[in-house]
Amino acid sequence: MKINSITLENYRNIKELSVDFDDVNIIWGENAQGKTNLLEAIYLFSGAKSFRGAKDKELVKFDCDYAKMKLDFFANGREQTAEISIKDRKTVTLNGIKKRSSTELGDEIKTIIFSPDHLNMIKEGPNERRKFIDGALCQIKSNYRTLLKNYSRTLVQRNSLLRNAESVDEVAPMLEVWDVNLANLGAKIIYQRIMYLKAIKPYLKSIFEGISGGKEDIELVYIGADTYTDDVNDIEQRLYNKIKSHRKIDVLNHTTTKGPHRDDIEIMINGRSVKSFGSQGQQRSSVLALKLAEASLLREMTGENPIALLDDVMSELDEKRQDYILNHIKDLQIFITCCDKETVLRLKKGKTFHIANGALSEG
Ligand SMILES: Nc1ncnc2c1ncn2[C@@H]1O[C@H](COP(=O)(O)OP(=O)(O)O)[C@@H](O)[C@H]1O
Ligand SMILES: [Mg+2]
């Protein structure tokens, strides 16, 4: 897919903006000028909530009572238009037809986003890494969200039983029911995640090789309660055994200690953990490579290229790595924000825009 143009009115610090885009687009300017705001506006059209977690009202320019956004794009073989307006409430239309919510735009407009916050995927605990893989799976498998919901409901029920239990013997028959259910649902989640990692691997490796100039090799390893194979029945059996053998510990802790809600994904460069040993640049490169690989897989699964929104991706990357991002990403329309003019000069093909105080000009 491709975004042809966007028009914004009273969006955050952007009073008025109307602009045509190219395949590669750089938006540069000093801090607090509206770079992230512009990416956020594009991102909203993919049906997701603001990646900054903002409420609709906060998107309207201070002292104004409405905001309007319009996107002209090509997707699923035709030119289309989506409009979002926020006044007392949010209204969304696609090709002139009113939609119940912006989530419905997600079928037409797909994006991947890199924001500096996503570095938490490396720096923080496993929660952020699970969020990445679960989010990616939700975009390509329509029943995965339901699976996650059912698993977490079962987990809540098992935990509430554990909270009130004095001994394993007292609750064993009840626990048996939850353990069987939890292992069944959990195994399906683990299976999907393992398959996702398998599918993303060739893309990730080739992108990372490109970013690192062929010097570094990236690897993802699924870390679960047991060593899992890619056989869902085998996973279920192993997970059930683990959950069952931890009943005593779970009763003591009043919580379920084994299952996909506790699993992790280890990211390694040249055989070593990026979290423990990676430089800032390597950490940034690996998150970026993951996001771009997610885009490639999304294309493989849906037949459409998502839009890549890369916010502040350039800092801490050396010239070669920046060059790869600017000039060697194929088949994806990309939007990159950065602060300095030097980066802009290195762009070989594409458009550059300067933004100051919410006003955009080409150059
Ligand atoms: N609803 C709003 N109305 C007007 N200005 C806003 C609104 N929300 C945020 N801003 C302003 O936008 C600026 C930040 O823009 P941002 O896109 O994050 O900057 P950057 O160019 O550094 O990415 C801040 O100065 C902030 O005060
Ligand atoms: Mg910013």
Side-chain angles (χ1 to χ4, degrees):
M1 68 165 294
K2 186 180 170 184
I3 296 175
N4 299 323
S5 64
I6 194 167
T7 306
L8 301 176
E9 204 182 325
N10 300 336
Y11 184 84
R12 294 243 197 218
N13 73 333
I14 302 169
K15 186 168 185 296
E16 261 180 342
L17 178 155
S18 184
V19 59
D20 294 337
F21 291 122
D22 205 333
D23 289 335
V24 182
N25 305 277
I26 298 187
I27 297 117
W28 70 284
E30 291 176 4
N31 290 336
Q33 299 305 310
K35 301 183 295 294
T36 303
N37 290 347
L38 178 54
L39 290 201
E40 179 191 41
I42 297 173
Y43 182 75
L44 284 181
F45 281 97
S46 65
K49 293 259 171 345
S50 151
F51 58 87
R52 297 160 149 182
K55 299 191 184 72
D56 289 343
K57 274 258 157 63
E58 295 169 15
L59 306 175
V60 177
K61 194 171 191 307
F62 301 149
D63 304 323
C64 294
D65 65 353
Y66 73 92
K68 270 188 184 174
M69 300 109 89
K70 176 167 164 264
L71 197 79
D72 289 308
F73 62 100
F74 183 88
N76 294 316
R78 60 203 172 111
E79 303 290 344
Q80 309 195 48
T81 302
E83 287 176 89
I84 300 176
S85 74
I86 301 167
K87 198 169 178 186
D88 300 318
R89 49 194 289 277
K90 183 150 88 178
T91 349
V92 179
T93 66
L94 178 65
N95 304 317
I97 297 163
K98 204 164 166 186
K99 296 281 159 186
R100 236 176 312 134
S101 86
S102 56
T103 328
E104 291 183 51
L105 298 177
D107 295 336
E108 302 292 331
I109 304 167
K110 297 206 190 285
T111 62
I112 59 117
I113 174 133
F114 171 96
S115 120
D117 287 348
H118 291 136
L119 291 170
N120 288 342
M121 251 174 78
I122 306 282
K123 294 179 176 158
E124 303 278 310
N127 196 27
E128 292 298 318
R129 291 180 286 281
R130 286 194 299 265
K131 249 205 251 162
F132 166 76
I133 194 165
D134 288 340
L137 273 162
C138 283
Q139 284 214 72
I140 53 176
K141 298 250 171 209
S142 52
N143 55 3
Y144 190 77
R145 200 179 294 280
T146 318
L147 184 58
L148 285 177
K149 234 187 252 163
N150 292 342
Y151 178 84
S152 82
R153 194 179 308 135
T154 311
L155 189 64
V156 167
Q157 285 163 330
R158 188 178 190 269
N159 287 344
S160 104
L161 181 67
L162 291 169
R163 245 192 320 278
N164 302 313
E166 311 237 310
S167 74
V168 175
D169 294 341
E170 178 199 322
V171 286
M174 279 297 282
L175 268 180
E176 179 61 21
V177 177
W178 297 128
D179 292 2
V180 167
N181 272 325
L182 208 62
N184 179 269
L185 295 166
K188 288 177 183 154
I189 293 173
I190 294 167
Y191 173 75
Q192 295 287 359
R193 288 179 181 168
I194 288 174
M195 289 327 242
Y196 187 83
L197 294 187
K198 217 175 176 176
I200 206 175
K201 190 173 160 171
Y203 293 117
L204 179 68
K205 280 192 175 284
S206 107
I207 292 164
F208 200 74
E209 200 188 313
I211 294 181
S212 70
K215 287 197 213 106
E216 293 167 4
D217 181 45
I218 191 167
E219 198 65 64
L220 299 177
V221 185
Y222 194 81
I223 314 267
D226 202 337
T227 315
Y228 297 123
T229 56
D230 52 12
D231 171 350
V232 71
N233 295 320
D234 183 56
I235 298 173
E236 184 172 345
Q237 192 57 51
R238 283 169 189 262
L239 181 58
Y240 172 78
N241 291 342
K242 279 287 169 198
I243 296 173
K244 191 171 178 185
S245 66
H246 281 74
R247 281 180 184 176
K248 217 176 210 161
I249 293 169
D250 287 0
V251 167
L252 277 174
N253 288 295
H254 303 300
T255 191
T256 305
T257 53
K258 296 290 164 189
H261 63 291
R262 290 287 177 97
D263 290 354
D264 197 357
I265 295 153
E266 174 113 76
I267 307 168
M268 311 221 281
I269 294 179
N270 293 344
R272 286 189 210 283
S273 151
V274 185
K275 184 183 166 98
S276 313
F277 302 108
S279 70
Q280 305 266 35
Q282 284 176 318
Q283 296 190 350
R284 196 168 272 260
S285 305
S286 41
V287 176
L288 178 65
L290 267 173
K291 296 281 178 172
L292 293 173
E294 178 193 354
S296 300
L297 195 56
L298 206 56
R299 171 178 53 223
E300 182 190 310
M301 301 296 217
T302 65
E304 283 279 321
N305 280 319
I307 306 293
L309 305 170
L310 311 178
D311 195 18
D312 264 335
V313 74
M314 293 302 191
S315 43
E316 289 155 3
L317 294 186
D318 59 37
E319 234 174 82
K320 279 191 192 142
R321 286 177 196 236
Q322 292 192 358
D323 178 65
Y324 177 84
I325 296 163
L326 288 173
N327 301 311
H328 298 276
I329 296 176
K330 302 244 156 55
D331 309 325
L332 275 188
Q333 188 183 25
I334 56 180
F335 296 81
I336 303 171
T337 67
C338 64
C339 293
D340 57 19
K341 187 148 193 192
E342 270 170 44
T343 310
V344 177
L345 297 175
R346 284 206 286 278
L347 181 71
K348 293 193 180 119
K349 196 167 167 285
K351 270 190 178 176
T352 61
F353 302 94
H354 182 237
I355 191 163
N357 200 11
L360 197 76
S361 56
E362 230 179 290

